[in-house]
Amino acid sequence: MGVGGNFWDLLKPHARTEGFDFLRNKRVAVDLSFWIVQHETAIKASVRSPHLRLTFFRTITLFAKFGAFPVFVIDGTPSPLKSKARIARFFRLSGIDTHDLPRVEDRISVDRNSKFAKCVKECVELLELFGVPVLEAKGEAEALCAELNRKGFVDACITADSDAFLFGAKCVIKSFHPNSKEPLECYFMSDIEAALGLKRKHLIAISLLVGNDHDLNGMQGVGLDTAVRFVQDYTEDDILNKLHVIGKEDNTSLQGGQSSDTNSRKDREEKEKKKQENWRLRVCNKIAMEPNFPSSELIQMYLCDNHSYFSDDDLILSWESPKTEILIDFLVFHLRWEPSYIRQRLLPMLSTIFLREMANNPIQTLLYDQYEFDSILREKIRYGHPFYVVKWKRAIPVLDNVVYEGYSEGLGTGPEDAIDVDEPVDLTDEFDSPKIHIQEGCSFLLTDENMDLVQAAYPEQTAKFLQEKEVKRQKTPTTTPPSEASGKSDSLKAKGAQLSITEFYRATKTQQQTAETTDLPNEGEETSTEKRKASSSSTLSKSVRRRLLFD
């Protein structure tokens, strides 16, 4: 998608991999069509409404895990050039002769097929229930994403369409993989300029030469390496004008991009210079032989400054609270998910929004009108990134003392729905579901939260946790001498000696005797024996427990 000739391979060496906090508290424009198209190749098995599933989980991930403020952009009416390119691509893949295609001058405009339009409509309805802004572009969604980025309304764009650089994007996130240390693959226009000497108009010239979404063929006989080398000989202000000159004038009068003074150079330098001039003239020959090159309509489209139906002064981006109950009904209808399952998966996003509101205007006291902040349980490192594990207490008592993980069968669809996802494209990875902790008749939820956000929302509780952590650290001895009761076995371990087979595989009876003599667990923790008793005492299935907690 975007510029032809494996353009992304040219930019790949200059990409940055960014961590979880890169998008925190930043606005990001998302090309929604890119997500919907991606699910067709990412999900191999037959599943119900994969476009809705993908949009649901990725939106929660952007909010909860990355802390971003997403703005979704959808395509408008495709340009006549894009419509012709789609027809040509379809005929080419079908093996049909393309000589009888309608001309661009006929102003043919073909809307997307009804199935794709239905997917877009359903995703927009889902996003509006999430409370996130959705904008419609006049033409291409990546064009409006780039415009928002260029004008400072958003900090980055999420799209795999390299045309975004041609429309003026400054930061493009090509892909993100939530379950990794550096999940974001980012491309900055400033890095491309510094490394390759290519600016926006240079990239437009390259797309004209090698092809793009609006002109699949480009210049015959000109590849990406040749195009890059050619445009680098000219400044950004001169390159597009130079293409116009080359396309209109006789190729015998063409000159290179640099003047040469061979009188003062050696023969070898003169030959090399002549070789470069001949190469440049051969490229110019190919350009001059192409009729109607370059396309003024394409250049105007890429340089256009308004790809929306609103003015800059009228644009107000706002994020509202999700319409939770209507959202649950929507997903029950389209995806056949249980309401309790949907509530559980929504909780990370709801807790993030709640903590933001508490940090800015602490009016509400209950998360999801059911859970109150109890304490910070501990710190947690996941994929090299630190989180606070926050304990939320529910006032309504529950049945039994039990600790169990959240429902996590499949990928958000329940045990009956199995899917296969390509490794390079992590599209349906769910956000970690909250753990459920039930103790002494009280129900608790354990969620992973950003440390700075918890600090801003609950500064006193955070200070108390850090103080207790420091006291505990000071009480913990740096080195523990071996106990006399451990005898020879412990002394051998301290010296790094090899253990005997009986010491390495200790008998079960010995382990039970040792466990009986150990200290009592800390407050809020349970022994393994207690957990087994709790688990055995509860005959309820996971789905039933989840319904009792979230319904």
Side-chain angles (χ1 to χ4, degrees), residues 283-541:
V283 177
C284 292
N285 276 336
K286 295 177 181 180
I287 295 175
M289 293 172 62
E290 186 74 16
N292 302 319
F293 185 87
S295 169
S296 298
E297 188 174 3
L298 257 181
I299 294 175
Q300 268 185 345
M301 182 191 68
Y302 284 131
L303 295 177
C304 176
D305 198 42
N306 186 11
H307 298 279
S308 63
Y309 293 105
F310 47 81
S311 65
D312 295 348
D313 296 334
D314 295 333
L315 178 59
I316 300 176
L317 299 176
S318 61
W319 290 260
E320 302 174 357
S321 298
K323 300 176 178 65
T324 308
E325 296 307 317
I326 303 178
L327 178 59
I328 292 172
D329 292 339
F330 177 87
L331 293 172
V332 168
F333 176 78
H334 287 280
L335 297 175
R336 302 295 189 267
W337 287 349
E338 294 181 359
S340 57
Y341 175 83
I342 300 171
R343 291 188 179 95
Q344 185 182 13
R345 295 309 182 195
L346 278 173
L347 197 64
M349 178 178 177
L350 298 177
S351 65
T352 299
I353 295 174
F354 177 78
L355 290 174
R356 286 174 178 171
E357 292 176 350
M358 288 296 296
N360 296 326
N361 188 18
I363 298 178
Q364 299 185 16
T365 57
L366 295 178
L367 165 63
Y368 197 34
D369 294 328
Q370 298 183 34
Y371 300 94
E372 61 181 354
F373 184 93
D374 183 79
S375 62
I376 300 174
L377 190 62
R378 64 180 182 273
E379 289 185 12
K380 174 181 178 181
I381 303 295
R382 185 172 178 83
Y383 301 111
H385 186 77
F387 295 92
Y388 279 146
V389 178
V390 174
K391 194 174 180 181
W392 306 89
K393 181 180 179 180
R394 188 182 186 187
I396 302 176
V398 290
L399 298 179
D400 201 358
N401 291 346
V402 64
V403 178
Y404 59 94
E405 296 275 335
Y407 185 77
S408 59
E409 302 175 29
L411 284 177
T413 59
E416 73 284 352
D417 230 351
I419 69 172
D420 182 20
V421 182
D422 285 341
E423 182 65 25
V425 189
D426 273 341
L427 295 182
T428 51
D429 283 327
E430 304 178 52
F431 190 84
D432 299 329
S433 60
K435 294 181 177 60
I436 304 168
H437 183 99
I438 301 175
Q439 184 179 15
E440 297 179 358
C442 294
S443 173
F444 297 91
L445 288 179
L446 307 181
T447 60
D448 298 344
E449 306 292 349
N450 175 260
M451 299 173 73
D452 293 335
L453 190 57
V454 176
Q455 165 72 33
Y458 294 97
E460 295 181 1
Q461 292 86 336
T462 305
K464 179 182 177 182
F465 168 78
L466 294 176
Q467 183 179 5
E468 292 174 351
K469 179 183 175 183
E470 179 63 20
V471 170
K472 184 177 180 180
R473 186 190 66 81
Q474 292 177 357
K475 289 182 178 180
T476 303
T478 55
T479 58
T480 303
S483 174
E484 295 180 359
S486 62
K488 180 179 178 182
S489 176
D490 287 347
S491 62
L492 289 175
K493 293 177 185 178
K495 296 179 180 179
Q498 182 175 352
L499 298 178
S500 66
I501 189 68
T502 56
E503 289 172 329
F504 191 82
Y505 294 100
R506 303 185 67 183
T508 305
K509 183 177 180 180
T510 305
Q511 292 178 1
Q512 292 175 349
Q513 292 174 351
T514 305
E516 292 175 358
T517 60
T518 55
D519 294 335
L520 293 176
N522 296 330
E523 182 180 355
E525 298 181 355
E526 295 178 303
T527 64
S528 59
T529 304
E530 289 174 341
K531 290 182 180 180
R532 286 196 300 271
K533 288 181 180 178
S535 299
S536 62
S537 64
S538 175
T539 59
L540 300 178
S541 65

Side-chain angles (χ1 to χ4, degrees), residues 8 16 18 22-23 26-29 145-146 149-150 154-159 164-165 168-174 184-190:
W8 281 116
R16 299 189 200 176
E18 299 288 351
F22 177 72
L23 289 179
K26 293 182 180 178
R27 300 180 176 187
V28 56
C145 289
N149 186 206
R150 187 179 72 253
V154 298
D155 300 283
C157 312
I158 296 180
T159 180
F165 294 109
K170 295 181 179 180
C171 175
V172 174
I173 300 174
K174 183 176 181 287
L184 304 175
E185 181 182 341
C186 306
Y187 295 81
F188 293 86
M189 193 62 197
S190 57

